[in-house]
Structures are given as C-alpha cells and as structure tokens.
Amino acid sequence: MTRSPYLTNAPSVSVIMLKVVLALIPAIFAYVWVFGGGILVVLSIATFVALTSEALMLKLRNRPVLPFLMDGSALVTAWLLALSLPPLAPWWLVVVGTFFAIVIAKQLYGGLGYNPFNPAMVGYAVLLISFPSIMTHWPAPLDLAKAQLGFADQFHYIFGGLLPDGVKVDGITQATPLDYLKTQLGLHRDLQDITHESIYGKFGGHGAELVTFAYLLGGIYLLQQKLITWHLPVAFLASLAIFSEIFYLVNPEHFANPLFHMFTGASMLAAFFIITDPVSGPTTPKGKLIFAGGIGILTYLIRVYGGYPDGVAFSVLLFNIGVPLIDAYTQPRVFGHTK
Amino acid sequence: MNALTSLMNLVKIQGGVHPPEHKQESTLRPIVALPLPKELVIPVRQHVGNLPKVLVKPGDRVLKGQLLAEPEGNISAAIHAPTSGVVRAIEESMIPHPSGLPDVCVILDADGKEEWVPHQPISWKDANKSDLLSALRKSGIVGLGGAAFPTQVKLSTGGRTLVHTLVINAAECEPYITCDDMLMRERAMDIVRGIEIVQSLLGAERTIIGIEDNKPEAAEAMRLASESASGDVKVKVVPTQYPSGDARQLIRLVSGIEVPADKRSTEVGVQCFNVATVLAVYRFFEFGEPSISRIVTITGNVRSPGNFEVLFGTPVRLLVEAAGGALPDTNEYIMGGPMMGFSLPSETVPVTKAANCIIASAPNLFPPAPQAMPCIRCARCADACPVRLQPQELYWFAKSDNFEKAREYNLFDCIECGCCSYVCPSNIPLVQYYRYAKSEIIAQDRAQQAADLARERNEFRLLRIEREKQERAQKHAQKAAGAKQEASKSEASDAHGDAEAAKKAAIAAAIERAKAQKATTVVKNTDDPSDKLKSEIEEIDKRRADLGLVENAELSQSGTQEKE
C-alpha cells in the first residue's frame, strides 16, 4: 500500500488558531488601557456563546464535538467579532452577533472550512444593520470621558444598562472618529479644524490609534510565524493608502490623508485578522492581491461616500462572493506550461 | 525578462519542503558488499516496461552474469543471474512494488562459487553507436534512481532530437537515502568515466552534475574527478530543498531550462541520468559486467545503518541483518524515501533494481497521521507545490468526484512528491486523493475508449447488414426481372419491372436503416440511467474505501447523515 508521505510537519489547525488568538492579545491590552476593562466582559460573553453554540450545532449535525471545538476556529471568530463591537456593548448585542456568526454564517453552511462568508463579519453586519445607533456609539477613551467608569461599573452597564448615579450616557460615549468626521464634513467644516479636536490623535482616533498599532504588532507576528502571507495586508493597506492619497491630493480640505485612513476604524484589524480568514478568502497569490486591493478601495468609498462610517465588513462580505471567480481566473502558471 | 526569470530559477526550486534529512546515520561507514545469500528471488520484471522473455528453465545451472531473461519489445530490460547456481523454479512470488501484487520470479539456489560467464568488455571509443546501443539492450541497466526506466531506450534518441546537455541527477533529495552520496564519495572517477560514455552516446556538448549542498564530500569528490573528464563536465551544487531531485526540477535548477509539460526533456535538448546509472554503464562497457547489483541504503530503525552493495534478488531481511538487525519496535519496512516510498508487504521480498533505500519504520519514527480535519483553504499546500498546482482545489475536485475539473486543473502534472501532505495542517492525505482521482480518470478513459470502439463496431455491423440486405434485394429484383422477361419477352415491361424492383429494394433498405438507427438509440436511452449511475457510484465508492480515503469526521458523515 502506498501511503506516502510518511512524514508530516505542519502546525495543526488548533495551533494556527491559537496563535491568531495570541496575536490579538496586545490589542486587548491596549483596549483595556484606553477604554477600561469592559472589553474583557464582552470577550468573555462572545467566547461563551461561540463555544456553546458551536458545540450545540456540532451535536445537532452529528459531528464529533470535541475535536471540532478544539480546533479553535469558533474562539477566533468570537474574539474578532467582540473586538469589532463597541467595548461597552450590551450583553444581548454580543449574544445575538456571536450566535449569528457561529450558527448561521458558519455551522449552517457546513462548519469549519465550508463557510463562504467571513463569520465574524456576517455577525457584525447583522448587528450594524439592525442596531446602527448602538453600534456607532463607542465609549470615549478614559482620559477624554467626562465621567469615569470603573471595571465594576462597566460590568453593570454591559449587563444591566445601568450607570452609576449622576453619570449620563453622553458622559461616557462619543461618536467614533470616522463617524464624527463624516457628520462634521457634512456640515461643511474644514477637515483640519475637525481633526484638531480632542477625539483625534496623531494619526487616527485619540487612544484608538494605540489599539490599531497593537493590531499591527500582532499582524507582524502572524507574518513572522508564516500564518499569513504578505499579499493580503500589503495589498489592502496599499490600496487604501493610494486611493486616499489621490483624494487627499485633489482636496486636502475635504479628504483625510492616507495615514488617517490606515490608523482609524477597522483598517489594521481587517488587514491582518479579518481579510486573512483563509476559508472565505482566495488562495492564489494574484487572487489575494485582487481581493485585498478591492476591499481596500471599497472600504474607502463606503467611508467617504457610503451611509456607514466604516466599510470593512460590507467590503469583505461583497468580495467573499467573488472569491470562487477570483480564484478561478488567477490560477498560477503550472510548471512546464506556457499559460 | 526571460533571461532574468531563468536566472532567478537557478537559485532554488519554487515551493518544496525541507524535511529532517537523517542522512548522517547511514554515511558513517563505507559501502560494504553484502554476503552471498543462499537463495535469490529474482523478479523477471524489475523495470518499467514489458515483461522480458525467460530463457532458462528449472534445473538449469547458470553462471554469474548469465542472461536469465531477454528484453521483449521496445521498452524492456534484460535480467541476469546475480551469482552462479541452479534455477530451482520460475514462479510468481511477492515483489517490492507499490501495487502489492506478485510477479514472475526466477528462484535461484546459489552454489557459492560465484563463477562468472566470460566477461566481454567493449571498447566504447572505437565501436559505433548502434553497436553500443544494441549491446546496452542486453546489459539490463535501468535508471537506478528509483524510476527503473530502461537506460538503453533513453540513450536511443534516434538522431531525431539533438541533445546538447546531459544532466546527472545526484541531488538525492529524499531524506534518509544516501546510496548516491556514498557512491560519489567512493567511486567518483568511475562515475566520470561513465559520464564520458553517456555524453558521447548522446552527442551532448556538456554535462552538469546536480548535487544538493548537503553532500559537500560527494560534491568535492565529483568536482575533483570531473577535472579529469575529456569533455565539458561541471558540478553544480544546488540548495537542499525537496524535491530538487525530480528530473524536471533538477534540469531547471542546473540549466535554467523548463521542460514543457507535454514534451520530453530530449525535445528541448536535455537528457537526465542518475549518477549510479552512468556508473553501471561504465562497468558494463569497461568490464563487461551486466546489471546484477546496486548500492542500497539501509537505515531508520536499525542498529547500524549503512550502505551495502546488494545482489538483485537478495531478501531484504539479509540487508536488515547486515545493518545489525531491526530495533524491537520496528513495525514495517519502507522502500524508497519517506516522502515517496511505499510499505513492503514483508521483509522477505527481494532487493530489485529500483530499491535505492530500505527504511525500517517504527511508530516513533513515522507516527500515523492524526485524524483528518476539513480543509481550511490555507493554501500552504499551494505554496509547497513545486509544480505550482493548487492542491486545495484538486483535493476538492477529487473528493467530490469532479474528475473533469481535476483534469482541467492539471491533476496529471502532479508528480506525487507529497509536499502538500507534508505541510497540511488538517492532515489530509492529499496525495492519496490525487492517486485515486488519476486512476479513476484513467479507468474512465479506458471505459470510454472501449465504449467508442463498441459503438464503432456496432455501426459497422449495421452498415454491413444494410449492405447485405440491399444486395439481396437487388439479386431478388434481378431474378424476378429475369423470370418476368422470360415469361413475357416484352422489352418495355422488363425495363419497367427492373426499375420498380430496384426502387422497392431501396425503400426497404431505407426502412431497415431507419429501424436499425432507432434500435440503437432506443437501447441507449432505455438503460435506466439512475441505476447505471448508482452502480457506477457504488463502484467508485468501493474503490475509494479500498484506498482508505475515508475521513471519519468528514466523508463518512457527509455521506450518510447529511443526505437525509
């Protein structure tokens, strides 16, 4: 019997997923530093819901529960979704989003390896469409907020929607940098004026840009571990930068510069963690460039002209549809073939 | 641009993997000749090609080097007695082959005298090419890198194509195998003499010896020896990266020429031989020694790994004993390397011309693959594929029996090197899927060919029946006309009747034709398609199960539960 090769040397799916989780840890630290410990509560809820609904679905689908639960993919989806949500999101929002991501977007399509759409982004898109107001009101960074919430206060707020006496919702939340920019530009203010306000930092949002740097750090770790290739992040960030640079050159009063776009919103998270989901993404090198480049352009267009402040989730989902076609038309030249 | 890409190609093969080499263990001792076995089981076919014609019968006494079987047909090779003795039997016996099927073998009882047939060296410099080639046909020499293709066939390019470059494959890229390494260290001069012969037979201008950089001693020995070569012989050290020893990969590595997939390398002026093969050519011409032995690496789970010169037909067991015996936890023996080799049915099978390495395997050495998980499309396999295929797509197509698509995605360019399986995080036995898909496609093509042939035959038969009917009708009409003529003796009615009868016959024939056509189409369509499909699917499933391509977590379940 031929069963060669007798040798294998590959990290298991579990190890790959756990390394992705590890790469997210710097960003979580940054979150806690900037916004407080509430994100840990959101992460815990998402993790719990993801693992239980994954286990339940595996059971219903007559699949071995433990090996698939141990593959870590549900954990990654849960964390990516949780990190996309406002850090003080109410508990039921996290539950609905995570449940949708795992049950509808992943398990109903056949589980690990079979989902055509990025599960975390499906969950996010459903929440954004259904609850736009909650989804676009982020807590202000602790050093900007009028009122300070401790970890216990944040915990209570997430589970009960209750704030300590004398604290109003306005006192702890603010519009996101992208959202604020959009509405203020709509009021015909100059971009320079707007970005000099306190909610903006050196490149992106005040405080939030620290989180994006942490994503960049985690992304570099993923590259170094060869869990992702350079094509996706580089093509995404490059197309976002080039596109915003063109607009910025034409009218710097109205269009933010490339650095702003690269360091606000979900750009860095998308570049290294979202668009790099292998299952719902393309596999050929050329296909990766097209996919990521397209998402970059579309994200920019939605940010500037669309109805939502950020466009990553919709761009990713739209390009997920095109993946089979992209793969089919970007087959590399086979050894010894002319085309 | 073209020059630039070929320059870049020289650096390294695309894709590939770098498994732990494990070559050190078996290179600590020089090559040792294995003691003469009492009994040799010599498979009559140890090469790729036709079964040779056996020339001896049980009871015959044969001398060492005597022809036991001569080549039959174009692609075939001779078999010689590895030692002197008496033919005890000619019968089917287990052979080391991936199919696991037995084949015809000559069972020889050695008499221990090692009595040679008279040696007939050939002075190759004076003889003409066709004489040398016909002599080589009786040499029994085949590719000793493991492919076992008759060497004489590869040398007979027939003047149709001009070979300018001879590539000597000394890459030995598979882990564990060191037989070529040791051969080069110890017999570099003889190898270079062999290169001179082969280069002149091919009419090649230059020779490039490709050696991986993990064999510095061998490369140095070859470099020194090649200085004495009469022609242009160079050593090219290539980076250690499996599978650089694949002929097409190595040709590109050392010469920059990428052989088109639908062509032979000779069509672009390159021919490739294994280093041990050219040495065998030298020994055949210089000393008149046919191919009766080879160097075999015995390594893995044995006490003292090494390289031995082994007579063909020697049981693997003796080789294992010579290496100090296998360690207690040995569970099987692998012939070839761990990337492309196969498990031997037992240790009693004989060493053959294709046996470059025997690895004693143990669970701790090559642990069984863990449970396969679904493909997550990570494309590590695509990055590792030296042929730049898309293994993840091919796997998908093979698994869903979408063979047309698999073929379209160049399944048949797959060299089954195993790099994809090696790097798969989901532990999917990818190569097995490709082997299965390939054999299915070949089987379907054969069935299609047979069906085409049957259809052609049927059409011809119907045509013949129709023609015979027409002829009969014509004869009939003529007869009737003749009778009428005799009866009436009227010229007018004769002409009229004849025409009428012919017309009738033509109409009858046309009706027949229509009926026949209808019959054939009806036969096709009334075959219950779902039944036919069902049995076909069952057959495929059975073959698939035999191949062990059932992943518990995936296939079996998607096959049963999800159908509901």
Side-chain angles (χ1 to χ4, degrees), chain A residues 3-7 9-11 13 62-63 68 112-114 278-279 281 283-284 327 331-337, chain B residues 258 260-261 332 338 341-343 375-377 387-388 390 392 399 409-410 413 422-423 425 432 435 554 557 562:
Chain A
R3 61 172 179 88
S4 58
Y6 295 84
L7 284 172
N9 178 25
V13 177
N62 279 316
R63 299 294 158 120
F68 277 102
L112 178 69
Y114 292 91
V279 176
T283 54
T284 64
D327 271 344
Q331 292 296 308
R333 185 182 68 85
V334 173
F335 185 92
H337 287 245
Chain B
E258 188 172 316
E332 64 171 346
F342 58 92
S343 304
C375 168
I376 55 167
R377 291 167 45 83
V387 193
R388 291 192 292 264
Q390 296 290 300
Q392 78 281 5
K399 194 180 156 197
Y409 275 65
N410 303 303
D413 286 74
Y422 182 76
V423 300
Q432 268 81 315
R435 289 192 189 116
E554 272 209 282
Q557 303 225 351
E562 282 208 337

